Amino acid sequence: MRTLVIEHLARVEGHGGITVELEGDTVGNVHFDVFEGARLLEPLVRGKRYDEVAPVLSRICAICSVAHSLTSLKATEDAFEVRISPQAELLRELLYLGENIESHALHLFLLALPDYLGYPSAIALAADKPDAVLRGLRLKKLGNLIQETIGGRAVHPVNAVAGGFGRAPSADQMIELRSALIAGIQDSGAVIDLMASLPGAEFCRCHTVYAALHSPHPHSYYGGQEVIVASDGGRSTVHAADYKMLSNEESVPHSHAKHSRFRGQPFMVGSLARLTVNPSRIAGKVALAAERLGLHLPADNPMDNNKAQALELIGDLERAGEVVEQLLREGIEDEPPAAVHSRAGTGTAITEAPRGLLIHSYTYDAEGRIAAADVITPTALNAASMEMHFRRAVEQCAHRDDALLGKRLEMIARAYDPCISCSVHLVRKR
Amino acid sequence: MKPQLVIGLGNPLMGDDGVGCRVAERLADDPRVPEDAEVICGGTDLFRYARQMEGRRRVVILDAIQDDAEPGSVAVLPEAGSGLDARQQHAHHLSAVQAIRLLEMTTPSRFLLLGISISSAGMDTGLSPALAARMPAILGRVLHELGRPPEDLRPL
């Protein structure tokens, strides 16, 4: 028997990334070990007052800090039955769009693109194709600008608070943002040109179940509390309060993340799932781009998540422009947040982080302090589906040399855009 | 705009990995910081601060480094190609070394990466006792570097 290990995807030492066991032509165990999960995160917030929770949990990840912050606030507001104003809803939606634009630009241009074009890193790619890398950096910077303008800080936003917004952006800031978005929308055409020019990635095909938030607006990542699970043309609905039907966690000995299944089947979350569950997202320029990229839904290739991210990037830029226009047209009120009356209770929120469903569920005591917390990240939800796709890719690979298999598995892993919570950032010596 | 920008990187929920951030927090209230320097406590994504870097003479980055040196040692890190791991290590992040290389394409600022040695990182909201005990020395070393004119510094 031989064992293939791809270690460096997991940043926490001792957690082995992807492991595949091969015995002749037979594929044995296929494991994805990810340092992730509620049991690691709950101790961070137990006993904290309701207004201390979001600032702590937003630090789980710099890339997903808006997602964690807003999902946390939404769960707290659910627990205390707080209703935020339409303006606050819109500002939160815009903040979320900023994070998605930033995250997708980083992923597509600096992480996935080198894989497709055979470069070991974005640095190597930049030497030959600086325009592509610079475009990615410009779009990422635009996403950051949205988050900084609305959230009040470049990372870990402070303006969004329980009940709404502590401080709304000024009209001048929004006018500046509008100009930047106009330039970004012009830049976005090249995203599809680039994606359409990439070589195919046809090495893993299988039936896949998808789960995503049912959005009240085609490009919303924040609103709504119902998840649709789509499989074989059927659709099942899961309300946020019943989220354990989705997380339905199963401990596996090889990973810190518990594995999730819906009615016994692994499911995929993220951009491809969002487009599958919410087909109204594919309209106008996005529909034209989908046709150009040859994306047909439901897809049976996890690599299509990269195409779905490109489509979302186009749609998000347009939607962000619309939200800014609406806020400028209607005028931004300097309104105080809705009053929050803490009490004993449980609240759950589901949103769409850039890489898929994010669930926060809290139980508060009578003093408004966390008695129990459950944080389920998209990467944890995806873990079982990733293992399934790794297995299929190995089974469908005719020439099983380690370099080829390793490259394909790494590309599939990256297509899922996994964000390892509590990731470390340190520099390592070789 | 102040000509020097200091960014402390790291995840403060991951113990000693957050040391860059912790040092930046301390520096933000430290009267010894040169008047020409602005200090930001960052997270794990250096690109977030691309806009803040514009127009700066020098950007100083504080980050944890896992090496064989004594925890708390501070070093001006050498060329990324000579010993630092610039591989695409993570599915969703770029390392500081990679990020600096790319940011150099977009800004004329000079970058200085100060590595603070740690022995390990795990989930913890505080620094290890060994590293916490070295904080005064770490601050002193970083302040020494901030006080040096950029011409005296080796570029990354």
Side-chain angles (χ1 to χ4, degrees):
Chain A
M1 186 178 76
R2 65 189 172 102
T3 304
L4 173 67
V5 179
I6 301 168
E7 203 165 38
H8 59 272
L9 285 175
R11 287 290 299 275
V12 177
E13 280 188 298
H15 300 278
I18 306 165
T19 305
V20 178
E21 292 173 2
L22 292 160
E23 182 85 60
D25 288 339
T26 307
V27 183
N29 289 318
V30 177
H31 290 157
F32 175 54
D33 173 8
V34 53
F35 192 79
E36 188 91 0
R39 62 185 147 170
L40 298 170
L41 302 174
E42 183 178 354
L44 296 174
V45 291
R46 196 182 297 127
K48 297 259 185 233
R49 251 176 60 108
Y50 73 86
D51 52 357
E52 298 171 324
V53 180
V56 171
L57 292 183
S58 77
R59 291 179 181 275
I60 290 172
C61 174
I63 305 288
C64 311
S65 62
V66 164
H68 279 290
S69 176
L70 294 187
T71 312
S72 176
L73 293 172
K74 192 174 165 184
T76 295
E77 288 157 358
D78 187 51
F80 301 150
E81 294 186 8
V82 177
R83 297 285 169 264
I84 67 171
S85 72
Q87 176 179 291
E89 287 267 359
L90 214 48
L91 287 170
R92 287 186 184 184
E93 187 186 332
L94 184 54
L95 188 53
Y96 226 124
L97 285 163
E99 180 163 272
N100 213 55
I101 290 166
E102 182 231 336
S103 179
H104 283 5
L106 169 70
H107 178 247
L108 288 173
F109 286 89
L110 304 182
L111 296 167
L113 192 56
D115 280 342
Y116 279 91
L117 298 179
Y119 290 87
S121 70
I123 298 169
L125 176 67
D128 286 353
K129 298 186 182 300
D131 289 352
V133 172
L134 289 173
R135 178 166 289 112
L137 289 173
R138 277 199 302 275
L139 287 168
K140 185 180 186 316
K141 197 168 163 188
L142 173 56
N144 289 347
L145 177 66
I146 296 171
Q147 292 172 81
E148 193 176 344
T149 303
I150 309 302
R153 255 190 355 199
V155 69
H156 311 311
V158 292
N159 284 350
V161 296
F165 262 75
R167 185 175 169 192
S170 68
D172 285 347
Q173 286 178 297
M174 297 301 277
I175 289 167
E176 186 189 341
L177 193 52
R178 178 170 61 186
S179 301
L181 275 163
I182 289 168
I185 290 167
Q186 286 167 353
D187 230 3
S188 69
V191 174
I192 300 304
D193 292 341
L194 180 70
M195 292 300 293
S197 73
L198 296 179
E202 304 288 336
F203 41 76
C204 176
R205 291 209 171 268
C206 74
H207 168 258
T208 302
V209 178
Y210 295 98
L213 196 64
H214 181 56
S215 308
H217 183 280
H219 286 284
S220 174
Y221 294 84
Y222 173 76
Q225 282 280 68
E226 284 184 345
V227 170
I228 303 285
V229 184
S231 175
D232 286 330
R235 291 163 71 90
S236 306
T237 302
V238 179
H239 190 270
D242 302 319
Y243 75 93
K244 289 196 173 171
M245 286 176 69
L246 284 171
S247 65
N248 190 21
E249 291 177 309
E250 166 202 2
S251 289
V252 291
H254 59 270
S255 177
H256 271 70
K258 293 179 179 180
H259 279 195
S260 299
R261 287 181 167 76
F262 181 73
R263 294 177 183 159
Q265 293 194 76
F267 57 88
M268 185 176 186
V269 301
S271 297
L272 195 52
R274 285 192 285 265
L275 297 184
T276 305
V277 162
N278 300 288
S280 59
R281 281 178 181 248
I282 305 177
K285 280 170 75 172
V286 176
L288 292 173
E291 199 175 314
R292 180 138 181 244
L293 296 181
L295 181 65
H296 304 291
L297 302 176
D300 61 358
N301 182 352
M303 295 301 296
D304 283 347
N305 199 48
N306 291 323
K307 294 179 182 175
Q309 283 200 351
L311 298 182
E312 284 195 334
L313 193 50
I314 305 292
D316 292 347
L317 287 163
E318 297 264 326
R319 177 60 184 155
E322 288 170 10
V323 173
V324 169
E325 287 293 347
Q326 183 180 343
L327 286 164
L328 282 170
R329 190 172 59 247
E330 294 174 355
I332 301 171
E333 299 290 328
D334 192 14
E335 58 182 23
V340 177
H341 303 289
S342 61
R343 62 184 188 193
T346 295
T348 301
I350 304 185
T351 68
E352 284 284 352
R355 52 208 52 77
L357 293 170
L358 174 63
I359 304 168
H360 283 223
S361 184
Y362 308 144
T363 298
Y364 281 103
D365 65 17
E367 293 177 353
R369 291 183 183 277
I370 292 277
D374 204 2
V375 176
I376 300 173
T377 60
T379 299
L381 291 172
N382 269 332
S385 182
M386 289 175 80
E387 280 191 1
M388 179 186 76
H389 283 132
F390 294 150
R391 174 177 291 282
R392 295 289 176 268
V394 177
E395 288 170 349
Q396 292 168 18
C397 184
H399 305 289
R400 290 180 183 165
D401 70 87
D402 286 4
L404 179 66
L405 277 178
K407 164 96 174 161
R408 289 181 173 183
L409 297 184
E410 200 168 322
M411 283 183 74
I412 292 171
R414 223 185 304 284
Y416 268 88
D417 194 9
C419 182
I420 315 300
S421 292
C422 309
S423 60
V424 293
H425 189 268
L426 50 85
V427 175
R428 289 204 176 98
K429 285 211 168 179
R430 285 198 187 111
Chain B
M1 176 185 289
K2 295 186 176 181
Q4 286 200 85
L5 178 65
V6 182
I7 304 173
L9 290 179
N11 187 340
L13 303 183
M14 288 300 287
D16 287 353
D17 178 69
V19 66
C21 225
R22 300 294 184 199
V23 170
E25 280 172 359
R26 295 283 293 270
L27 288 175
D29 296 324
D30 195 319
R32 296 173 294 170
V33 171
E35 283 189 4
D36 71 347
E38 180 182 347
V39 182
I40 294 176
C41 175
T44 55
D45 180 17
L46 187 57
F47 285 118
R48 290 261 176 158
Y49 302 97
R51 206 166 74 88
Q52 284 81 354
M53 292 174 195
E54 287 172 3
R56 309 282 185 169
R57 191 182 71 217
R58 179 166 70 173
V59 178
V60 179
I61 294 147
L62 312 174
D63 202 2
I65 178 167
Q66 196 164 30
D67 58 8
D68 298 328
E70 187 184 354
S73 305
V74 179
V76 176
L77 294 183
E79 285 286 330
S82 58
L84 299 184
D85 198 337
R87 286 177 306 169
Q88 196 139 304
Q89 296 173 310
H90 189 275
H92 200 68
H93 282 135
L94 296 178
S95 70
V97 176
Q98 288 182 309
I100 290 169
R101 282 277 177 256
L102 293 174
L103 286 164
E104 282 173 335
M105 294 171 60
T106 62
T107 170
S109 305
R110 295 186 69 180
F111 287 85
L112 174 70
L113 177 56
L114 295 179
I116 304 165
S117 295
I118 67 170
S119 57
S120 65
M123 181 164 274
D124 198 327
T125 53
L127 296 177
S128 65
L131 207 56
R134 293 291 307 271
M135 185 57 86
I138 296 170
L139 290 170
R141 178 77 167 85
V142 172
L143 285 164
H144 173 73
E145 291 296 339
L146 294 182
R148 293 171 65 186
E151 296 73 32
D152 292 352
L153 295 166
R154 278 181 299 170
L156 178 77

